[in-house]
Amino acid sequence: MSSSNECSFTYEEYKETADWLQERIKEQPKVAIICGSGLGDLANLLENKTDFLYKDIPRFPQSTVHGHAGKLVFGKLNGKQCVCMQGRFHFYEGYSIAKVTYPVRVFFLLGVETLIVTNAAGGLNPNFSVGDIMLIKDHINMPGFAGQNPLCGHNDERFGTRFPCMSDAYDRDIFRLAKDAAVEENCSSFLQEGVYCMLAGPTFETIAECKMLQTLGADAVGMSTVPEVIVARHCGLRVFGLSLITNKVVMDYASEERANHKEVLETTKRRAVDLQRLVSALVAKL
Ligand SMILES: *[C@@H]1O[C@H](CO)[C@@H](O)[C@H](O)[C@H]1NC(C)=O
Ligand SMILES: *[C@@H]1O[C@H](CO)[C@@H](O)[C@H](O)[C@H]1NC(C)=O
Ligand SMILES: *[C@@H]1O[C@H](CO)[C@@H](O)[C@H](O)[C@H]1NC(C)=O
């Protein structure tokens, strides 16, 4: 991780990575999918795959978290040319926020038009159950409040404008398509929609923090996704996101429950196949 603390990259650096990939893939991807913790099997659904280990891709960051494979997989999902990140980069791993979002600009340079983000999240909304899938309709960028926005620093107009709009971060047309897909795929009984709040992690939330986030209007909380979404919107990609509710956050001092990563992985395993089906059906509709 010697180069993990780089805080900004030049257009030429992203371009070098994109060109290297471009020379090695058969077809241009139109959709990029970032697989959250334990959701990497989605990439296995791709047909006619070409894959690259992160460590072999020039300038690409590398994944360190348990449960992430660290591979970029190109191929066809339900008839659409896609690229899947099997393993994402988290701020809590020690990467700069620029490095966390590095792949998104590479996708943009490869001609990707739509970004699909998935994650595992804790449920704050009392109506949510463990195993629910939440369509993300908006986000709260907590690290951004503390000065950790991936667009801080010099703005390169070749990627996007200095002050990008975020009130339309999550594409409303794709959102509707996802709801249709959920009905067709028999996922309605565990489908929710809501606001995702990102915290930097790696600690899970205190009870007081959970109460605060709930008051602020967050329905789910996690440690990823928002930086990638911001960078994607900056360069004009359409974004769709979903959270798998892998645990319910503790809201009560009398509760004996404790947040743990094992519960997250177990729920993910149980619901991952449904989530894959849903994403696959959605991709066909794009
Ligand atoms: C995969 O590649 C084979 C051989 O090149 C081709 O016949 C087939 O149609 C491809 N499948 C898809 C889904 O593109
Ligand atoms: C929970 O569901 C009920 C009934 O649909 C609804 O009235 C209420 O607003 C929901 N609570 C939250 C926090 O979304
Ligand atoms: C849809 O899901 C319900 C409950 O989850 C199940 O009882 C039903 O058989 C499913 N239907 C189809 C067509 O898969």
Side-chain angles (χ1 to χ4, degrees):
M1 296 243 304
S2 57
S3 59
S4 66
N5 53 0
E6 287 157 359
C7 287
S8 70
F9 300 92
T10 63
Y11 186 86
E12 288 68 30
E13 286 172 301
Y14 294 108
K15 191 82 171 58
E16 182 189 330
T17 307
D19 288 348
W20 187 91
L21 289 165
Q22 187 69 61
E23 284 165 20
R24 288 164 177 78
I25 56 177
K26 296 182 203 94
E27 282 186 77
Q28 204 114 16
K30 289 290 163 216
V31 180
I33 304 169
I34 302 181
C35 304
S37 302
L39 300 170
D41 279 347
L42 191 57
N44 299 337
L45 299 182
L46 268 52
E47 291 176 275
N48 289 3
K49 284 189 286 240
T50 310
D51 54 29
F52 305 94
L53 295 174
Y54 292 160
K55 69 179 177 59
D56 295 331
I57 306 172
R59 301 195 178 278
F60 220 72
Q62 323 228 333
S63 197
T64 64
V65 81
H66 180 73
H68 286 246
K71 251 194 313 188
L72 205 54
V73 186
F74 292 82
K76 232 173 204 170
L77 179 61
N78 230 339
K80 289 271 167 23
Q81 209 58 43
C82 293
V83 52
C84 264
M85 276 183 77
Q86 212 169 24
R88 67 142 57 83
F89 308 108
H90 299 88
F91 187 63
Y92 63 72
E93 292 174 86
Y95 301 110
S96 70
I97 207 99
K99 198 132 190 167
V100 166
T101 57
Y102 189 89
V104 177
R105 285 184 169 169
V106 172
F107 297 153
F108 165 68
L109 292 174
L110 285 173
V112 164
E113 293 164 354
T114 305
L115 178 70
I116 298 178
V117 287
T118 66
N119 60 50
L124 290 162
N125 186 320
N127 291 350
F128 289 6
S129 305
V130 169
D132 282 353
I133 291 176
M134 182 187 87
L135 308 182
I136 303 176
K137 70 173 182 203
D138 204 351
H139 73 222
I140 298 175
N141 177 16
M142 277 294 174
F145 292 175
Q148 288 290 348
N149 189 302
L151 303 180
C152 278
H154 170 72
N155 186 63
D156 191 324
E157 293 282 334
R158 286 171 287 186
F159 288 116
T161 179
R162 172 77 285 186
F163 301 108
C165 177
M166 283 295 143
S167 60
D168 59 352
Y170 297 85
D171 192 279
R172 284 169 203 160
D173 293 330
I174 304 181
F175 196 91
R176 276 190 288 273
L177 292 176
K179 285 177 120 173
D180 295 345
V183 172
E184 287 161 22
E185 293 299 320
N186 203 12
C187 296
S188 306
S189 61
F190 51 87
L191 199 76
Q192 304 282 0
E193 55 186 80
V195 175
Y196 176 85
C197 179
M198 180 198 176
L199 300 186
T203 45
F204 285 113
E205 307 71 36
T206 66
I207 292 170
E209 286 164 353
C210 288
K211 287 172 187 261
M212 179 192 79
L213 297 179
Q214 201 180 44
T215 305
L216 293 179
D219 298 296
V221 58
M223 305 172 192
S224 68
T225 303
V226 168
E228 294 104 309
V229 169
I230 290 173
V231 168
R233 290 303 297 146
H234 181 240
C235 58
L237 304 189
R238 300 164 77 197
V239 171
F240 170 74
L242 40 85
S243 294
L244 176 57
I245 305 301
T246 50
N247 58 292
K248 293 200 77 166
V249 302
V250 180
M251 288 280 194
D252 175 5
Y253 287 102
S255 169
E256 291 296 321
E257 286 191 44
R258 300 280 180 275
N260 70 85
H261 192 54
K262 191 161 160 278
E263 184 190 6
V264 169
L265 291 178
E266 281 169 2
T267 309
T268 311
K269 213 167 168 183
R270 183 157 63 78
R271 190 59 93 192
V273 175
D274 296 310
L275 192 134
Q276 285 166 26
R277 250 189 14 219
L278 183 56
V279 172
S280 175
L282 172 64
V283 165
K285 289 176 182 292
L286 290 176

